[in-house]
Amino acid sequence: MTVQPLYRGTGRADRAKHGPARGIFRVRRGIFPIPPITVRDGGHITRLGAGALVQPACGTEPADAPGVLRNALLVCGILSSLLYVAMTALIPLQWEGYSSASQTISELSAIGAPTRTVWTLPGALYTVLVTAFGWGVWRSSGPNRALGIVGRLIVLYGSLGLLWPFAPMHQREVIAAGGGTASDTFHLVLASVTVSVMLLSIGVGAATFGRRFRYYSIASLVTLALFGAMTFLDAPRLAAGLPTPRLGVWERINIGVFLAWVVVLAVAVLRAGRDPDRGHAARILVVDDERLIRWSLGQALGRHGCAVKEAANAQEAQAALRSDSFDAIVLDYRLPDTADLELLRLVRALSPRSHVVMMTAFGTSEMIDEATGLGASCVLEKPLDLDAACRVILHS
């Protein structure tokens, strides 16, 4: 076993009162002793003394097969959007006289359209891919309830694709001549439900990740509302047999916005990281006034596939909690701009669903009882063994 010292000392606030500590160490391989760790689990407090043995997680476990499956499912979202773009670009070439600017995508699979049979197979493949993507988002949601809802909505959106073959529209000439049937009515109802699910997915999705994704989702909704209104205004002209010079443009912009949003969501979930034991995106906030402690712990958690954000004080921690959601928060006991457990109380109010792991250099039994009573999952005593700390944080 190789042990490499990283830094001597604890947080500035603790060090100013109690002096330097023994140091922080990175254990590279093997089974190793860990420093004292107090863990609260199911209402019971267990204190693991120095010398307890823990098997490190980094680089010693087999590949996460469920994680590979999740990644494959998420990639299906990207492939589904690329497939749909290819369908709308290439299939119209099989219909001489078709205009992508003035005609809708639904007309490519209309009854009697020369491209109806060509559309069927890739359309079915799109349904499979986007449904698989929704399942992958659902599996990746973990405690992120909004992301779980989005996954379910996308599964519903994909499942609606199974109904489209039973709800084809007639060609516009037939509809204008009064030849429409119940199939055309079903087509309109199914289109309305599908658009509603798309809007709900993006709306709920705005709450899944940070501020940038939220703003992007809101911009997508505004774009859909604008061009959706223009599509709605042009639609009666199709039924009346009147020219619709831009109807296809408005519709393709709407669908393109959703396809792009699916790709961005897939990338966001893929980049968010996975908890190797629970199988969901692990977003962790590390709050400590020592920059090297934040960096070292962030690097160690990053090797587990976690997405880590740092905060140097209580003010930065509050700003991060107001702009992002986190699965776990690693919180130093004493920070220069807050009193002891005051930030823990605020963290529990701002992010009640997040697991909180406390760190301290000189924790007393009274402090541990108070911290766990306020909702901390466990208390780690400094100096930290990074691999052991990662194991505890990921299991918190």
Side-chain angles (χ1 to χ4, degrees), residues 104-113 116 164 167-172 175 183-185 187-188 238:
T104 65
I105 294 174
S106 295
E107 292 180 75
L108 292 170
S109 58
I111 297 173
R116 176 170 171 77
W164 283 111
M169 64 177 288
H170 285 83
Q171 295 187 66
R172 60 173 61 198
I175 297 175
S183 177
D184 296 280
T185 303
H187 183 91
L188 292 175
L238 183 150

Side-chain angles (χ1 to χ4, degrees), residues 12-69:
R12 290 191 183 94
D14 278 335
R15 189 172 67 250
K17 184 174 181 179
H18 301 285
R22 292 171 292 162
I24 301 172
F25 298 91
R26 176 189 296 154
V27 178
R28 291 189 174 175
R29 62 179 179 274
I31 297 178
F32 52 87
I34 64 174
I37 297 177
T38 303
V39 180
R40 184 192 189 202
D41 184 13
H44 301 285
I45 298 176
T46 304
R47 187 176 179 82
L48 305 178
L53 297 181
V54 174
Q55 179 68 37
C58 294
T60 61
E61 296 183 350
D64 179 20
V68 173
L69 173 61

Side-chain angles (χ1 to χ4, degrees), residues 69-304:
L69 173 61
R70 281 193 311 275
N71 289 348
L73 293 172
L74 294 172
V75 170
C76 284
I78 300 173
L79 295 178
S80 68
S81 292
L82 293 176
L83 173 62
Y84 203 92
V85 170
M87 289 166 59
T88 56
L90 299 178
I91 292 180
L93 301 178
Q94 309 300 314
W95 183 351
E96 186 177 356
Y98 178 88
S99 171
S100 296
S102 62
Q103 292 182 261
T104 65
I105 294 174
S106 295
E107 292 180 75
L108 292 170
S109 58
I111 297 173
T115 52
R116 176 170 171 77
T117 55
V118 182
W119 183 272
T120 302
L121 181 59
L125 180 57
Y126 172 79
T127 295
V128 172
L129 288 174
V130 77
T131 304
F133 170 63
W135 184 33
V137 172
W138 189 352
R139 285 172 58 94
S140 301
S141 61
N144 191 332
R145 294 187 178 182
L147 190 61
I149 294 173
V150 171
R152 292 171 175 86
L153 287 171
I154 295 176
V155 169
L156 174 59
Y157 166 82
S159 301
L160 291 174
L162 298 174
L163 301 177
W164 283 111
F166 305 100
M169 64 177 288
H170 285 83
Q171 295 187 66
R172 60 173 61 198
E173 295 83 4
V174 176
I175 297 175
T181 65
S183 177
D184 296 280
T185 303
F186 188 22
H187 183 91
L188 292 175
V189 172
L190 187 56
S192 299
V193 173
T194 300
V195 170
S196 298
V197 174
M198 289 165 56
L199 293 172
L200 276 174
S201 300
I202 298 176
V204 177
T208 55
F209 292 106
R211 182 164 45 189
R212 286 185 297 178
F213 188 79
R214 184 183 310 128
Y215 290 160
Y216 170 70
S217 297
I218 292 173
S220 298
L221 285 174
V222 172
T223 305
L224 283 171
L226 174 62
F227 288 97
M230 299 175 76
T231 303
F232 179 79
L233 293 174
D234 264 0
R237 298 178 62 86
L238 183 150
L242 299 174
T244 55
R246 295 291 180 269
L247 180 59
V249 175
W250 312 147
E251 185 188 43
R252 281 165 173 78
I253 291 175
N254 285 323
I255 294 176
V257 167
F258 181 71
L259 296 178
W261 184 84
V262 165
V263 171
V264 174
L265 176 64
V267 172
V269 179
L270 283 167
R271 292 180 60 184
R274 307 294 187 278
D275 180 332
D277 296 306
R278 291 185 180 177
H280 62 71
R283 297 174 57 80
I284 300 177
L285 175 65
V286 177
V287 186
D288 197 297
D289 59 318
E290 280 290 353
R291 181 173 179 271
L292 189 52
I293 292 178
R294 298 194 309 272
W295 180 85
S296 300
L297 191 54
Q299 291 293 306
L301 289 168
R303 289 195 295 273
H304 286 265

Side-chain angles (χ1 to χ4, degrees), residues 287 314 317-318 331 335 338-347:
V287 186
Q318 293 177 58
L331 184 62
L335 294 168
T338 188
D340 295 348
L341 294 173
E342 195 60 38
L343 182 57
L344 174 59
R345 294 185 178 91
L346 184 59
V347 164

